[in-house]
Amino acid sequence: MSIVYKRPEVFTDEYKKYCGGCGHGIINRLIGEIMEEENLVDKAVLIWPIGCSVYADKYFKTDSICALHGRAPAVGTGVKRSCPEDLVVVYQGDGDMVSEGMAEIMHAGIRGEKFTVVFVNNSIYGMTGGQMAPTTLMDQVTTTTPYGRKDENTGHPVNMAEIISGLNGCYYSERVTVNSPANIRKTKAAIKKAFKYQMEGKGLSFVEVLSPCPTGWKVKPLQALKWIDDVVTKQYPLGVFKDCGQEEK
Amino acid sequence: MNRVTVDREMCKECEYCLHFCPKGTILKKSTTVNKMGYYPAEAVDMTDCIACGICASVCPEGAITVEKNI
């Protein structure tokens, strides 16, 4: 008998407060699996944002810090500089990073801080009830844009993976999604690579994950996965935008 | 025979496991609710299961355990 899959030991027994079908659960699980596979659990310090994943420090047995709204990269900078041997993972949602914390992530990228950023993009403010975020797609209906997002009032969506890849301090930038088993494997590979670059002491490694938000988008979970394929990836194309490790080879 | 176990209380009825199962006959939605009010997935017929682990890999809650050749 062999176990093909079981829940990672790094999780506590705490009931996750995510909605059914939320991508945060999958991404949390992938981070846990990778930490176990690479024996990084004792070294890991996870920096959690304000947002849907605010309670995630209760789900992991690792060291965790919950930062102020948008300030996770600033906290990560302090932790990584004082403990350079540790695995520092800055986990942020799209409202937290792109709206409140744009300055922090940009300057972390400019300085080339040597931690990993996992950016969960569900193109909406999930926790507060589905308001428009800076990453909301054009014509997407949210509670604050009931007629769809229009550029004359609210501007255009922000493609963070491309922006961060343009900074000299960024070592690795990739956009992935979690809407199918194949894409979940690619996401796991991307986060694993980001952790590897961090432990080698390279620059900022940035992974943007397009995540379904069935509650915020007001659809069924399976429709949300299809919507990522049909609509979200048109605005946010998947792929590697910068990989200095690949270029060095 | 392989075995798939779903943690009833952890499941949130997203149906990803039912949708992505390549066989489509192994898991089914329960007819009774768990303590949070969801109809959780449950393993009903293990004869066709190939223990590929896809149901577990898409589960946001990590509620599924897959064992091979029991």
Side-chain angles (χ1 to χ4, degrees):
Chain A
M1 186 188 100
S2 62
I3 290 178
V4 177
Y5 180 85
K6 72 176 174 54
R7 181 180 159 95
E9 298 281 330
V10 68
F11 280 133
T12 59
D13 293 333
E14 182 85 14
Y15 186 77
K16 288 205 184 86
K17 291 174 180 65
Y18 303 130
C19 312
C22 177
H24 274 299
I26 301 175
I27 301 158
N28 283 187
R29 190 167 51 74
L30 293 179
I31 291 174
E33 282 175 20
I34 296 165
M35 285 195 300
E36 279 190 359
E37 285 168 18
E38 308 282 317
N39 289 323
L40 294 167
V41 175
D42 295 337
K43 285 185 185 175
V45 183
L46 308 180
I47 319 288
W48 299 105
I50 304 296
C52 293
S53 48
V54 67
Y55 289 115
D57 56 328
K58 294 192 175 100
Y59 310 151
F60 283 86
K61 290 176 188 164
T62 59
D63 294 334
S64 298
I65 301 174
C66 187
L68 286 174
H69 207 355
R71 274 61 182 158
V75 176
T77 301
V79 175
K80 188 67 185 176
R81 287 191 176 194
S82 54
C83 311
E85 301 297 310
D86 283 1
L87 173 84
V88 178
V89 184
V90 172
Y91 187 101
Q92 288 188 284
D94 54 339
D96 186 67
M97 175 185 282
V98 188
S99 188
E100 280 82 7
M102 191 65 164
E104 268 71 16
I105 184 62
M106 288 303 285
H107 284 278
I110 290 164
R111 294 193 304 268
E113 297 296 343
K114 297 173 181 58
F115 54 69
T116 301
V117 181
V118 177
F119 169 42
V120 181
N121 182 358
N122 55 15
S123 77
I124 209 162
Y125 275 93
M127 185 179 78
T128 50
Q131 289 86 357
M132 192 200 86
T135 45
T136 295
L137 309 171
M138 299 313 292
D139 300 320
Q140 184 181 341
V141 175
T142 67
T143 49
T144 44
T145 54
Y147 304 109
R149 183 179 186 174
K150 302 287 179 225
D151 56 353
E152 62 264 28
N153 292 329
T154 48
H156 297 270
V158 185
N159 290 33
M160 279 309 283
E162 285 92 326
I163 292 174
I164 299 295
S165 71
L167 303 173
N168 289 336
C170 170
Y171 193 81
Y172 171 63
S173 174
E174 181 168 2
R175 183 182 289 120
V176 285
T177 179
V178 288
N179 71 340
S180 70
N183 282 331
I184 289 171
R185 285 183 177 214
K186 284 179 192 163
T187 305
K188 188 172 177 180
I191 299 175
K192 203 176 217 173
K193 198 189 237 181
F195 285 8
K196 188 179 127 240
Y197 286 150
Q198 181 187 162
M199 296 318 281
E200 289 170 1
K202 313 287 190 192
L204 186 82
S205 44
F206 186 93
V207 181
E208 175 173 345
V209 188
L210 301 179
S211 164
C213 180
T215 308
W217 297 348
K218 297 177 178 59
V219 291
K220 295 261 185 196
L222 288 171
Q223 289 170 298
L225 299 188
K226 195 167 176 298
W227 202 67
I228 290 181
D229 259 342
D230 295 347
V231 182
V232 182
T233 47
K234 302 285 182 290
Q235 170 65 35
Y236 299 114
L238 306 177
V240 181
F241 298 101
K242 190 174 190 182
D243 189 350
C244 296
Q246 204 69 31
E247 287 159 19
E248 279 170 14
K249 276 178 192 168
Chain B
M1 182 86 78
N2 307 317
R3 185 163 69 191
V4 173
T5 326
V6 185
D7 189 321
R8 259 187 80 84
E9 299 305 328
M10 231 185 264
C11 178
K12 287 179 186 158
E13 204 189 327
C14 66
E15 302 177 21
Y16 290 171
C17 51
L18 309 181
H19 178 75
F20 286 112
C21 176
K23 297 291 178 184
T25 54
I26 290 124
L27 293 152
K28 229 179 111 184
K29 248 201 286 197
S30 174
T31 49
T32 52
V33 293
N34 62 15
K35 69 177 176 194
M36 297 302 282
Y38 295 107
Y39 289 94
E42 59 185 11
V44 284
D45 179 14
M46 295 309 301
T47 44
D48 287 340
C49 182
I50 52 172
C52 60
I54 283 180
C55 51
S57 81
V58 296
C59 179
E61 305 304 316
I64 301 178
T65 308
V66 183
E67 291 157 288
K68 197 170 189 173
N69 295 332
I70 296 170

